[in-house]
Amino acid sequence: MSKEITITLVKKVIAGFYGNNPKRKEELERLGYDYYNVQKAVNEYLKYGKSSLISNNAISNKSLKTNISGKNLIKSFESCKLKAYKDATGTWTIGWGHTGTVDGISISEGMEISQGKADSLFVSDLKKFENKVNEYSEKYNFTSNEFSALVSFAYNVGGIKQLTQNGTRSKKAIADAMLKYVYSKGIKLNGLVRRRQKERELFISNSDDSV
């Protein structure tokens, strides 16, 4: 029995996530989908904005969560600061590497937060980057450690689209490419070198921690 077709799958096909034929057909069938029904659903969605073949209840893949090793890795490099500071790129930051705003207020000099708020922001930030990595989980079938290493990478860099070349790189190529992301404004930073090494070590580790 083939897997249910979701709106997420349809949008990924339209975006070219699975490439073009014959690669697309091979990849979708490998993942357990009926290629012809997927194509029909895509065509109907493009034409009508909907398709009866798209399930309202299906979930395209199990959403993975960052394991303990991944969380500890992130926190070991971000550290927690309850008073706003500028990071290596000159960006105002607070808590566990949180940037942007806190409760709608832009982070700036003099802002202070509680430990509880910092931990709350970490949870929400972690979820944001887990979602970004989960976009590729079905294609790669990540282990817990692979997923968690990539979440740490995304937490620091912003995502993994470039790292994975939009899902076209092999896992080995991804692990090797991690080590290239060690520059900030053209300057090689020792902290980023160490972080990338630790993320790669976790990514290729055979022993998975509990999620």
Side-chain angles (χ1 to χ4, degrees):
M1 183 177 178
S2 59
K3 295 173 73 171
E4 291 182 297
I5 299 169
T6 66
I7 186 61
T8 299
L9 174 70
V10 168
K11 288 182 176 180
K12 283 184 176 181
V13 171
I14 293 171
F17 189 86
Y18 298 102
N20 298 315
N21 284 327
K23 181 183 177 181
R24 178 190 293 177
K25 181 176 185 295
E26 178 183 340
E27 182 68 9
L28 289 171
E29 290 182 342
R30 183 186 72 79
L31 293 170
Y33 294 103
D34 182 315
Y35 169 75
Y36 296 102
N37 277 341
V38 172
Q39 281 300 111
K40 184 177 180 181
V42 167
N43 292 335
E44 289 179 349
Y45 182 79
L46 288 172
K47 187 174 182 179
Y48 306 111
K50 60 182 180 179
S51 171
S52 61
L53 292 171
I54 299 174
S55 172
N56 291 323
N57 301 315
I59 300 177
S60 60
N61 59 279
K62 177 184 177 182
S63 293
L64 298 174
K65 300 292 184 183
T66 310
N67 63 26
I68 297 300
S69 292
K71 291 177 181 178
N72 288 342
L73 193 161
I74 295 170
K75 288 185 173 181
S76 70
F77 283 99
E78 297 294 344
S79 72
C80 185
K81 296 182 180 180
L82 303 182
K83 187 173 181 178
Y85 66 98
K86 284 188 177 181
D87 66 10
T89 68
T91 303
W92 281 107
T93 308
I94 203 166
W96 298 101
H98 179 77
T99 59
T101 65
V102 175
D103 296 331
I105 302 173
S106 296
I107 300 171
S108 60
E109 186 175 7
M111 175 180 280
E112 294 187 35
I113 59 175
S114 66
Q115 184 64 55
K117 188 63 178 180
D119 293 340
S120 176
L121 290 170
F122 177 73
V123 171
S124 60
D125 285 343
L126 195 66
K127 179 63 177 176
K128 177 175 67 176
F129 293 113
E130 285 174 342
N131 288 342
K132 290 190 175 186
V133 178
N134 265 315
E135 292 178 8
Y136 297 85
S137 291
E138 184 174 11
K139 184 174 183 66
Y140 285 105
N141 192 27
F142 292 130
T143 65
S144 177
N145 278 348
E146 288 170 347
F147 177 83
S148 299
L150 290 175
V151 171
S152 174
F153 180 92
Y155 197 103
N156 177 238
V157 176
I160 63 168
K161 182 176 182 179
Q162 185 183 62
L163 176 66
T164 65
Q165 288 190 341
N166 200 27
T168 61
R169 271 183 172 149
S170 67
K171 286 185 177 181
K172 182 181 183 305
I174 291 172
D176 293 340
M178 279 182 175
L179 301 179
K180 298 178 181 178
Y181 291 78
V182 294
Y183 295 88
S184 175
K185 295 184 177 180
I187 301 174
K188 189 173 184 178
L189 301 180
N190 290 332
L192 291 181
V193 171
R194 293 194 301 272
R195 182 166 184 159
R196 296 293 94 87
Q197 290 172 339
K198 290 296 184 180
E199 287 166 348
R200 186 178 186 279
E201 288 174 9
L202 181 60
F203 187 85
I204 64 177
S205 174
N206 290 324
S207 58
D208 268 355
D209 292 326
S210 298
V211 174

